[in-house]
Amino acid sequence: MRKPIIAGNWKMNKTPAEAKELVLALTETVKDAECDVVVCVPATNFAAVKEAAEGTNIKLGAQNVHFAPSGAYTGELSADMLKACGVEYVVIGHSERRQYFGETDKTVNLRTRAAVAAGLIPIICVGELKDERESGYTDIIVEYQTLMALHGLTEEEIKNVVVAYEPVWAIGTGLTATDEQANETIGVIRKAVERKYGKDVADALRIQYGGSMNPKNVKGLMAQPEIDGGLIGGASLKAPDFTAVVMYNK
């Protein structure tokens, strides 16, 4: 059985003091979670979150990683830099990175390979635009994005990867796919991985839903057989909301 994973993506929110306060609140409320718990925070908050989460079940994640080990890449952070800060997970290819910062399927692959090589666990985001879904291209889009992201990884390495299906039209809009839509598309992703890498790899791959999962819809989504967790945006910024999502089965 795949262990569920709930990851909060804080995006560009929280000062170090605010981050510490939130994580300290979560240490008590999510300590009995039956899923892996991750908070993916701005780099300015790494030290504060690492200190607050020390000795707890909350893991530290980053929101991006560069594919080069070092060099003239102003403003970027390498995988080794993240590791040195205590980071264990890293979000790669989020729709906002693709939309605003020129992320491509090629750079997603490069970042994924760099993260895996350094021992980080990538959370790879894939998903379709609204017009792509309405035109019937959802399956093609998510299959291509997933297989491109995984290109060059071994079967063993893929078992340590997390994929997050995030329909772009549901990010920050309050809209969400139905439980059945999310489950169906995540099933498409898993089948694509199975065709390329085999059933064992596909069965071990954890695939989250990342389209506005919140306390109101988490139970229905997590009841679906293909969905292994959530990549949580707005609901991860308030301790009661994130707790309700993490403790969905309590």
Side-chain angles (χ1 to χ4, degrees), residues 164-224:
Y165 166 56
E166 48 157 21
V168 180
W169 46 271
I171 306 301
T173 63
L175 300 174
T176 184
T178 66
D179 300 348
E180 292 75 21
Q181 283 175 324
N183 187 70
E184 179 182 5
T185 303
I186 288 175
V188 167
I189 294 170
R190 199 177 305 283
K191 281 294 183 184
V193 173
E194 181 178 340
R195 287 194 297 272
K196 179 73 173 179
Y197 297 100
K199 192 174 189 310
D200 288 347
V201 175
D203 285 348
L205 180 64
R206 294 190 291 180
I207 309 178
Q208 301 172 310
Y209 176 67
S212 297
M213 183 183 281
N214 58 58
K216 293 182 179 179
N217 60 27
V218 61
K219 288 185 182 294
L221 287 164
M222 290 302 296
Q224 298 297 317

Short mmCIF file of all heavy atoms in Angstrom, two decimals, residues 164-224:
data_model
loop_
_atom_site.label_atom_id
_atom_site.label_comp_id
_atom_site.label_asym_id
_atom_site.label_seq_id
_atom_site.Cartn_x
_atom_site.Cartn_y
_atom_site.Cartn_z
N ALA A 164 2.33 15.27 -8.56
CA ALA A 164 1.12 16.00 -8.13
C ALA A 164 0.34 16.41 -9.37
O ALA A 164 0.83 17.19 -10.19
CB ALA A 164 1.50 17.23 -7.32
N TYR A 165 -0.86 15.86 -9.50
CA TYR A 165 -1.74 16.29 -10.60
C TYR A 165 -2.46 17.54 -10.17
O TYR A 165 -3.26 17.53 -9.23
CB TYR A 165 -2.74 15.19 -10.96
CG TYR A 165 -3.86 15.70 -11.84
CD1 TYR A 165 -3.59 16.34 -13.04
CD2 TYR A 165 -5.20 15.59 -11.45
CE1 TYR A 165 -4.60 16.85 -13.84
CE2 TYR A 165 -6.22 16.08 -12.24
CZ TYR A 165 -5.92 16.72 -13.43
OH TYR A 165 -6.93 17.23 -14.22
N GLU A 166 -2.17 18.64 -10.84
CA GLU A 166 -2.80 19.92 -10.52
C GLU A 166 -3.44 20.50 -11.77
O GLU A 166 -2.76 21.11 -12.59
CB GLU A 166 -1.80 20.90 -9.91
CG GLU A 166 -0.48 21.03 -10.65
CD GLU A 166 0.21 22.36 -10.36
OE1 GLU A 166 -0.09 22.99 -9.34
OE2 GLU A 166 1.04 22.77 -11.19
N PRO A 167 -4.75 20.29 -11.96
CA PRO A 167 -5.42 20.94 -13.08
C PRO A 167 -5.25 22.45 -12.94
O PRO A 167 -5.65 23.02 -11.92
CB PRO A 167 -6.88 20.50 -12.93
CG PRO A 167 -7.02 20.06 -11.51
CD PRO A 167 -5.68 19.55 -11.10
N VAL A 168 -4.61 23.06 -13.92
CA VAL A 168 -4.22 24.47 -13.77
C VAL A 168 -5.43 25.35 -13.53
O VAL A 168 -5.36 26.34 -12.80
CB VAL A 168 -3.42 24.94 -15.01
CG1 VAL A 168 -3.01 26.39 -14.87
CG2 VAL A 168 -2.18 24.06 -15.20
N TRP A 169 -6.57 24.96 -14.09
CA TRP A 169 -7.78 25.77 -13.95
C TRP A 169 -8.34 25.72 -12.52
O TRP A 169 -9.23 26.50 -12.18
CB TRP A 169 -8.84 25.30 -14.94
CG TRP A 169 -9.03 23.81 -14.99
CD1 TRP A 169 -8.36 22.93 -15.79
CD2 TRP A 169 -9.92 23.02 -14.20
NE1 TRP A 169 -8.78 21.64 -15.54
CE2 TRP A 169 -9.74 21.68 -14.57
CE3 TRP A 169 -10.86 23.34 -13.21
CZ2 TRP A 169 -10.46 20.63 -14.00
CZ3 TRP A 169 -11.58 22.29 -12.64
CH2 TRP A 169 -11.38 20.97 -13.04
N ALA A 170 -7.79 24.85 -11.69
CA ALA A 170 -8.28 24.73 -10.31
C ALA A 170 -7.29 25.31 -9.29
O ALA A 170 -7.52 25.20 -8.09
CB ALA A 170 -8.56 23.28 -9.96
N ILE A 171 -6.20 25.92 -9.76
CA ILE A 171 -5.18 26.44 -8.85
C ILE A 171 -5.53 27.87 -8.45
O ILE A 171 -5.56 28.78 -9.28
CB ILE A 171 -3.78 26.44 -9.50
CG1 ILE A 171 -3.44 25.04 -10.01
CG2 ILE A 171 -2.74 26.91 -8.49
CD1 ILE A 171 -3.45 23.97 -8.97
N GLY A 172 -5.82 28.06 -7.19
CA GLY A 172 -6.10 29.40 -6.69
C GLY A 172 -7.41 30.00 -7.16
O GLY A 172 -7.67 31.18 -6.96
N THR A 173 -8.27 29.17 -7.76
CA THR A 173 -9.53 29.68 -8.29
C THR A 173 -10.72 29.31 -7.42
O THR A 173 -11.81 29.86 -7.60
CB THR A 173 -9.79 29.12 -9.70
OG1 THR A 173 -9.92 27.69 -9.63
CG2 THR A 173 -8.64 29.47 -10.65
N GLY A 174 -10.49 28.36 -6.51
CA GLY A 174 -11.61 27.86 -5.72
C GLY A 174 -12.34 26.73 -6.43
O GLY A 174 -13.16 26.04 -5.83
N LEU A 175 -12.04 26.55 -7.72
CA LEU A 175 -12.63 25.44 -8.46
C LEU A 175 -11.86 24.17 -8.14
O LEU A 175 -10.69 24.21 -7.76
CB LEU A 175 -12.55 25.71 -9.97
CG LEU A 175 -13.27 26.95 -10.49
CD1 LEU A 175 -12.95 27.15 -11.98
CD2 LEU A 175 -14.77 26.83 -10.29
N THR A 176 -12.51 23.06 -8.30
CA THR A 176 -11.82 21.79 -8.11
C THR A 176 -12.44 20.76 -9.03
O THR A 176 -13.62 20.84 -9.38
CB THR A 176 -11.92 21.31 -6.64
OG1 THR A 176 -11.15 20.12 -6.48
CG2 THR A 176 -13.35 21.04 -6.23
N ALA A 177 -11.61 19.82 -9.45
CA ALA A 177 -12.15 18.69 -10.21
C ALA A 177 -13.05 17.88 -9.28
O ALA A 177 -12.88 17.89 -8.06
CB ALA A 177 -11.01 17.83 -10.74
N THR A 178 -14.02 17.20 -9.85
CA THR A 178 -14.80 16.29 -9.03
C THR A 178 -13.89 15.16 -8.54
O THR A 178 -12.82 14.93 -9.10
CB THR A 178 -15.98 15.68 -9.82
OG1 THR A 178 -15.44 14.84 -10.86
CG2 THR A 178 -16.84 16.77 -10.43
N ASP A 179 -14.32 14.48 -7.50
CA ASP A 179 -13.54 13.36 -7.00
C ASP A 179 -13.24 12.37 -8.12
O ASP A 179 -12.12 11.86 -8.25
CB ASP A 179 -14.30 12.65 -5.88
CG ASP A 179 -14.61 13.57 -4.70
OD1 ASP A 179 -14.04 14.68 -4.64
OD2 ASP A 179 -15.44 13.17 -3.85
N GLU A 180 -14.26 12.12 -8.93
CA GLU A 180 -14.13 11.14 -10.00
C GLU A 180 -13.19 11.63 -11.11
O GLU A 180 -12.40 10.85 -11.65
CB GLU A 180 -15.50 10.81 -10.58
CG GLU A 180 -16.43 10.06 -9.63
CD GLU A 180 -17.02 10.95 -8.53
OE1 GLU A 180 -17.02 12.20 -8.72
OE2 GLU A 180 -17.46 10.42 -7.49
N GLN A 181 -13.27 12.92 -11.44
CA GLN A 181 -12.37 13.47 -12.46
C GLN A 181 -10.92 13.38 -12.01
O GLN A 181 -10.04 12.98 -12.78
CB GLN A 181 -12.72 14.94 -12.73
CG GLN A 181 -13.94 15.16 -13.59
CD GLN A 181 -14.27 16.65 -13.71
OE1 GLN A 181 -14.10 17.42 -12.77
NE2 GLN A 181 -14.75 17.05 -14.88
N ALA A 182 -10.67 13.77 -10.77
CA ALA A 182 -9.30 13.73 -10.25
C ALA A 182 -8.78 12.29 -10.24
O ALA A 182 -7.65 12.01 -10.65
CB ALA A 182 -9.27 14.31 -8.84
N ASN A 183 -9.60 11.36 -9.77
CA ASN A 183 -9.20 9.96 -9.70
C ASN A 183 -8.92 9.40 -11.10
O ASN A 183 -7.94 8.69 -11.31
CB ASN A 183 -10.30 9.14 -9.03
CG ASN A 183 -9.88 7.71 -8.77
OD1 ASN A 183 -9.03 7.45 -7.92
ND2 ASN A 183 -10.47 6.77 -9.50
N GLU A 184 -9.79 9.76 -12.05
CA GLU A 184 -9.63 9.26 -13.42
C GLU A 184 -8.32 9.74 -14.04
O GLU A 184 -7.58 8.96 -14.64
CB GLU A 184 -10.81 9.71 -14.28
CG GLU A 184 -10.72 9.26 -15.72
CD GLU A 184 -11.88 9.76 -16.57
OE1 GLU A 184 -12.71 10.55 -16.05
OE2 GLU A 184 -11.95 9.39 -17.75
N THR A 185 -8.02 11.03 -13.88
CA THR A 185 -6.81 11.57 -14.49
C THR A 185 -5.55 11.04 -13.82
O THR A 185 -4.56 10.75 -14.48
CB THR A 185 -6.83 13.11 -14.46
OG1 THR A 185 -8.01 13.57 -15.10
CG2 THR A 185 -5.62 13.68 -15.17
N ILE A 186 -5.60 10.90 -12.50
CA ILE A 186 -4.45 10.31 -11.81
C ILE A 186 -4.27 8.86 -12.25
O ILE A 186 -3.13 8.37 -12.39
CB ILE A 186 -4.62 10.44 -10.29
CG1 ILE A 186 -4.43 11.91 -9.89
CG2 ILE A 186 -3.66 9.53 -9.53
CD1 ILE A 186 -4.69 12.22 -8.43
N GLY A 187 -5.36 8.16 -12.52
CA GLY A 187 -5.27 6.81 -13.06
C GLY A 187 -4.61 6.79 -14.43
O GLY A 187 -3.85 5.87 -14.76
N VAL A 188 -4.87 7.81 -15.24
CA VAL A 188 -4.24 7.94 -16.55
C VAL A 188 -2.73 8.10 -16.40
O VAL A 188 -1.94 7.48 -17.13
CB VAL A 188 -4.83 9.15 -17.32
CG1 VAL A 188 -3.98 9.50 -18.54
CG2 VAL A 188 -6.27 8.85 -17.74
N ILE A 189 -2.32 8.93 -15.44
CA ILE A 189 -0.90 9.12 -15.18
C ILE A 189 -0.25 7.81 -14.77
O ILE A 189 0.82 7.43 -15.26
CB ILE A 189 -0.70 10.19 -14.08
CG1 ILE A 189 -1.15 11.56 -14.58
CG2 ILE A 189 0.77 10.23 -13.63
CD1 ILE A 189 -1.22 12.62 -13.49
N ARG A 190 -0.90 7.08 -13.87
CA ARG A 190 -0.33 5.82 -13.39
C ARG A 190 -0.21 4.79 -14.52
O ARG A 190 0.77 4.06 -14.61
CB ARG A 190 -1.18 5.27 -12.24
CG ARG A 190 -0.42 4.24 -11.40
CD ARG A 190 -1.24 3.73 -10.22
NE ARG A 190 -1.75 4.77 -9.36
CZ ARG A 190 -1.02 5.43 -8.46
NH1 ARG A 190 0.27 5.15 -8.33
NH2 ARG A 190 -1.57 6.35 -7.69
N LYS A 191 -1.21 4.75 -15.38
CA LYS A 191 -1.17 3.81 -16.51
C LYS A 191 -0.04 4.16 -17.47
O LYS A 191 0.61 3.26 -18.04
CB LYS A 191 -2.52 3.82 -17.25
CG LYS A 191 -3.61 3.01 -16.57
CD LYS A 191 -3.25 1.52 -16.56
CE LYS A 191 -4.37 0.69 -15.96
NZ LYS A 191 -3.97 -0.76 -15.86
N ALA A 192 0.20 5.45 -17.68
CA ALA A 192 1.29 5.87 -18.55
C ALA A 192 2.64 5.42 -17.99
O ALA A 192 3.52 4.95 -18.72
CB ALA A 192 1.27 7.39 -18.73
N VAL A 193 2.80 5.56 -16.67
CA VAL A 193 4.03 5.12 -16.02
C VAL A 193 4.16 3.60 -16.10
O VAL A 193 5.25 3.06 -16.33
CB VAL A 193 4.06 5.60 -14.55
CG1 VAL A 193 5.25 5.00 -13.81
CG2 VAL A 193 4.10 7.12 -14.50
N GLU A 194 3.04 2.90 -15.96
CA GLU A 194 3.07 1.44 -16.06
C GLU A 194 3.52 0.98 -17.45
O GLU A 194 4.33 0.06 -17.57
CB GLU A 194 1.69 0.87 -15.74
CG GLU A 194 1.64 -0.65 -15.80
CD GLU A 194 0.27 -1.22 -15.43
OE1 GLU A 194 -0.51 -0.51 -14.78
OE2 GLU A 194 0.01 -2.38 -15.79
N ARG A 195 2.99 1.63 -18.49
CA ARG A 195 3.37 1.25 -19.85
C ARG A 195 4.87 1.47 -20.09
O ARG A 195 5.50 0.69 -20.81
CB ARG A 195 2.56 2.04 -20.87
CG ARG A 195 1.10 1.63 -20.98
CD ARG A 195 0.45 2.19 -22.22
NE ARG A 195 0.41 3.66 -22.19
CZ ARG A 195 -0.57 4.38 -21.65
NH1 ARG A 195 -1.60 3.75 -21.07
NH2 ARG A 195 -0.53 5.68 -21.67
N LYS A 196 5.41 2.50 -19.50
CA LYS A 196 6.82 2.83 -19.74
C LYS A 196 7.76 2.09 -18.82
O LYS A 196 8.83 1.63 -19.24
CB LYS A 196 7.00 4.35 -19.55
CG LYS A 196 8.42 4.85 -19.74
CD LYS A 196 8.86 4.84 -21.18
CE LYS A 196 10.23 5.51 -21.32
NZ LYS A 196 10.70 5.51 -22.71
N TYR A 197 7.39 1.95 -17.54
CA TYR A 197 8.34 1.44 -16.55
C TYR A 197 7.90 0.16 -15.85
O TYR A 197 8.66 -0.39 -15.05
CB TYR A 197 8.58 2.52 -15.49
CG TYR A 197 9.22 3.76 -16.05
CD1 TYR A 197 8.45 4.89 -16.34
CD2 TYR A 197 10.58 3.82 -16.31
CE1 TYR A 197 9.03 6.04 -16.86
CE2 TYR A 197 11.17 4.95 -16.83
CZ TYR A 197 10.39 6.07 -17.10
OH TYR A 197 10.98 7.20 -17.62
N GLY A 198 6.68 -0.29 -16.11
CA GLY A 198 6.22 -1.52 -15.51
C GLY A 198 5.27 -1.31 -14.34
O GLY A 198 5.21 -0.23 -13.75
N LYS A 199 4.55 -2.37 -14.00
CA LYS A 199 3.50 -2.29 -12.98
C LYS A 199 4.06 -2.00 -11.59
O LYS A 199 3.46 -1.25 -10.82
CB LYS A 199 2.69 -3.58 -12.97
CG LYS A 199 1.41 -3.49 -12.15
CD LYS A 199 0.58 -4.75 -12.30
CE LYS A 199 -0.79 -4.60 -11.67
NZ LYS A 199 -0.78 -4.08 -10.30
N ASP A 200 5.20 -2.61 -11.25
CA ASP A 200 5.74 -2.40 -9.90
C ASP A 200 6.06 -0.93 -9.66
O ASP A 200 5.77 -0.39 -8.58
CB ASP A 200 7.01 -3.24 -9.71
CG ASP A 200 6.71 -4.72 -9.57
OD1 ASP A 200 5.53 -5.07 -9.38
OD2 ASP A 200 7.66 -5.53 -9.65
N VAL A 201 6.65 -0.28 -10.65
CA VAL A 201 7.00 1.14 -10.52
C VAL A 201 5.73 1.98 -10.41
O VAL A 201 5.62 2.87 -9.55
CB VAL A 201 7.85 1.61 -11.71
CG1 VAL A 201 8.11 3.12 -11.62
CG2 VAL A 201 9.18 0.87 -11.75
N ALA A 202 4.76 1.69 -11.26
CA ALA A 202 3.52 2.46 -11.27
C ALA A 202 2.75 2.28 -9.96
O ALA A 202 2.19 3.23 -9.42
CB ALA A 202 2.64 2.04 -12.45
N ASP A 203 2.74 1.05 -9.45
CA ASP A 203 2.01 0.78 -8.21
C ASP A 203 2.66 1.46 -7.01
O ASP A 203 1.98 1.79 -6.03
CB ASP A 203 1.93 -0.72 -7.96
CG ASP A 203 0.92 -1.41 -8.87
OD1 ASP A 203 0.13 -0.70 -9.51
OD2 ASP A 203 0.95 -2.65 -8.94
N ALA A 204 3.98 1.68 -7.07
CA ALA A 204 4.69 2.30 -5.95
C ALA A 204 4.66 3.82 -6.01
O ALA A 204 4.89 4.49 -4.99
CB ALA A 204 6.15 1.82 -5.93
N LEU A 205 4.37 4.38 -7.18
CA LEU A 205 4.43 5.83 -7.36
C LEU A 205 3.27 6.52 -6.64
O LEU A 205 2.10 6.21 -6.87
CB LEU A 205 4.36 6.16 -8.86
CG LEU A 205 4.39 7.64 -9.23
CD1 LEU A 205 5.71 8.28 -8.84
CD2 LEU A 205 4.12 7.81 -10.73
N ARG A 206 3.61 7.47 -5.79
CA ARG A 206 2.58 8.23 -5.08
C ARG A 206 2.18 9.44 -5.94
O ARG A 206 3.03 10.22 -6.35
CB ARG A 206 3.07 8.67 -3.71
CG ARG A 206 3.30 7.51 -2.77
CD ARG A 206 3.55 7.95 -1.35
NE ARG A 206 4.84 8.63 -1.20
CZ ARG A 206 5.27 9.12 -0.03
NH1 ARG A 206 4.52 9.00 1.07
NH2 ARG A 206 6.44 9.72 0.06
N ILE A 207 0.87 9.58 -6.16
CA ILE A 207 0.36 10.67 -6.99
C ILE A 207 -0.67 11.46 -6.19
O ILE A 207 -1.70 10.93 -5.78
CB ILE A 207 -0.26 10.15 -8.31
CG1 ILE A 207 0.70 9.20 -9.02
CG2 ILE A 207 -0.62 11.33 -9.21
CD1 ILE A 207 0.14 8.61 -10.31
N GLN A 208 -0.37 12.72 -5.97
CA GLN A 208 -1.24 13.60 -5.21
C GLN A 208 -2.24 14.30 -6.12
O GLN A 208 -2.05 14.40 -7.33
CB GLN A 208 -0.42 14.69 -4.51
CG GLN A 208 0.64 14.21 -3.55
CD GLN A 208 1.50 15.38 -3.09
OE1 GLN A 208 2.00 16.16 -3.89
NE2 GLN A 208 1.67 15.51 -1.79
N TYR A 209 -3.27 14.85 -5.49
CA TYR A 209 -4.14 15.80 -6.19
C TYR A 209 -3.78 17.20 -5.70
O TYR A 209 -3.66 17.42 -4.50
CB TYR A 209 -5.62 15.52 -5.92
CG TYR A 209 -6.52 16.56 -6.56
CD1 TYR A 209 -6.59 16.66 -7.94
CD2 TYR A 209 -7.24 17.47 -5.79
CE1 TYR A 209 -7.38 17.64 -8.54
CE2 TYR A 209 -8.03 18.44 -6.38
CZ TYR A 209 -8.10 18.51 -7.76
OH TYR A 209 -8.86 19.49 -8.35
N GLY A 210 -3.60 18.14 -6.62
CA GLY A 210 -3.14 19.47 -6.25
C GLY A 210 -4.06 20.59 -6.67
O GLY A 210 -3.59 21.72 -6.88
N GLY A 211 -5.33 20.32 -6.82
CA GLY A 211 -6.23 21.37 -7.29
C GLY A 211 -7.19 21.86 -6.23
O GLY A 211 -8.34 21.44 -6.17
N SER A 212 -6.73 22.74 -5.36
CA SER A 212 -7.58 23.34 -4.33
C SER A 212 -8.19 22.31 -3.38
O SER A 212 -9.38 22.35 -3.07
CB SER A 212 -8.69 24.18 -4.97
OG SER A 212 -8.15 25.27 -5.69
N MET A 213 -7.38 21.37 -2.91
CA MET A 213 -7.84 20.46 -1.86
C MET A 213 -7.94 21.24 -0.56
O MET A 213 -7.06 22.04 -0.23
CB MET A 213 -6.87 19.28 -1.70
CG MET A 213 -7.33 18.24 -0.68
SD MET A 213 -6.15 16.88 -0.44
CE MET A 213 -6.48 15.85 -1.87
N ASN A 214 -9.02 21.03 0.18
CA ASN A 214 -9.27 21.79 1.39
C ASN A 214 -10.06 20.94 2.39
O ASN A 214 -10.44 19.81 2.07
CB ASN A 214 -10.00 23.10 1.05
CG ASN A 214 -11.32 22.85 0.34
OD1 ASN A 214 -12.20 22.16 0.86
ND2 ASN A 214 -11.47 23.40 -0.87
N PRO A 215 -10.33 21.46 3.59
CA PRO A 215 -11.05 20.65 4.58
C PRO A 215 -12.41 20.15 4.13
O PRO A 215 -12.88 19.11 4.60
CB PRO A 215 -11.18 21.61 5.77
CG PRO A 215 -10.01 22.52 5.66
CD PRO A 215 -9.85 22.74 4.18
N LYS A 216 -13.05 20.87 3.22
CA LYS A 216 -14.40 20.49 2.78
C LYS A 216 -14.40 19.33 1.79
O LYS A 216 -15.35 18.55 1.76
CB LYS A 216 -15.11 21.70 2.18
CG LYS A 216 -15.41 22.81 3.19
CD LYS A 216 -16.16 23.96 2.53
CE LYS A 216 -16.49 25.05 3.54
NZ LYS A 216 -17.20 26.20 2.91
N ASN A 217 -13.36 19.24 0.96
CA ASN A 217 -13.41 18.21 -0.09
C ASN A 217 -12.38 17.09 0.10
O ASN A 217 -12.33 16.15 -0.68
CB ASN A 217 -13.23 18.84 -1.48
CG ASN A 217 -11.90 19.57 -1.65
OD1 ASN A 217 -10.92 19.26 -1.00
ND2 ASN A 217 -11.88 20.55 -2.55
N VAL A 218 -11.55 17.18 1.16
CA VAL A 218 -10.46 16.23 1.30
C VAL A 218 -10.94 14.80 1.48
O VAL A 218 -10.36 13.86 0.92
CB VAL A 218 -9.52 16.64 2.46
CG1 VAL A 218 -10.25 16.67 3.80
CG2 VAL A 218 -8.31 15.73 2.53
N LYS A 219 -11.99 14.58 2.25
CA LYS A 219 -12.43 13.21 2.52
C LYS A 219 -12.87 12.51 1.23
O LYS A 219 -12.53 11.35 0.99
CB LYS A 219 -13.57 13.20 3.53
CG LYS A 219 -13.14 13.53 4.96
CD LYS A 219 -14.30 13.38 5.93
CE LYS A 219 -13.89 13.74 7.35
NZ LYS A 219 -12.91 12.79 7.91
N GLY A 220 -13.64 13.21 0.40
CA GLY A 220 -14.10 12.61 -0.84
C GLY A 220 -12.95 12.31 -1.78
O GLY A 220 -12.91 11.24 -2.42
N LEU A 221 -12.00 13.25 -1.89
CA LEU A 221 -10.86 13.03 -2.77
C LEU A 221 -9.99 11.89 -2.27
O LEU A 221 -9.58 11.01 -3.04
CB LEU A 221 -10.04 14.32 -2.88
CG LEU A 221 -10.67 15.44 -3.71
CD1 LEU A 221 -10.00 16.78 -3.43
CD2 LEU A 221 -10.60 15.12 -5.20
N MET A 222 -9.73 11.86 -0.97
CA MET A 222 -8.84 10.84 -0.43
C MET A 222 -9.50 9.46 -0.39
O MET A 222 -8.81 8.45 -0.20
CB MET A 222 -8.36 11.24 0.96
CG MET A 222 -7.38 12.42 0.95
SD MET A 222 -5.90 12.12 -0.03
CE MET A 222 -5.16 10.78 0.89
N ALA A 223 -10.80 9.40 -0.58
CA ALA A 223 -11.48 8.10 -0.64
C ALA A 223 -11.28 7.42 -2.00
O ALA A 223 -11.57 6.23 -2.14
CB ALA A 223 -12.97 8.28 -0.37
N GLN A 224 -10.79 8.18 -2.98
CA GLN A 224 -10.58 7.63 -4.32
C GLN A 224 -9.33 6.74 -4.34
O GLN A 224 -8.30 7.08 -3.75
CB GLN A 224 -10.43 8.76 -5.33
CG GLN A 224 -11.65 9.66 -5.46
CD GLN A 224 -12.86 8.91 -5.98
OE1 GLN A 224 -12.76 8.11 -6.91
NE2 GLN A 224 -14.01 9.15 -5.38
#
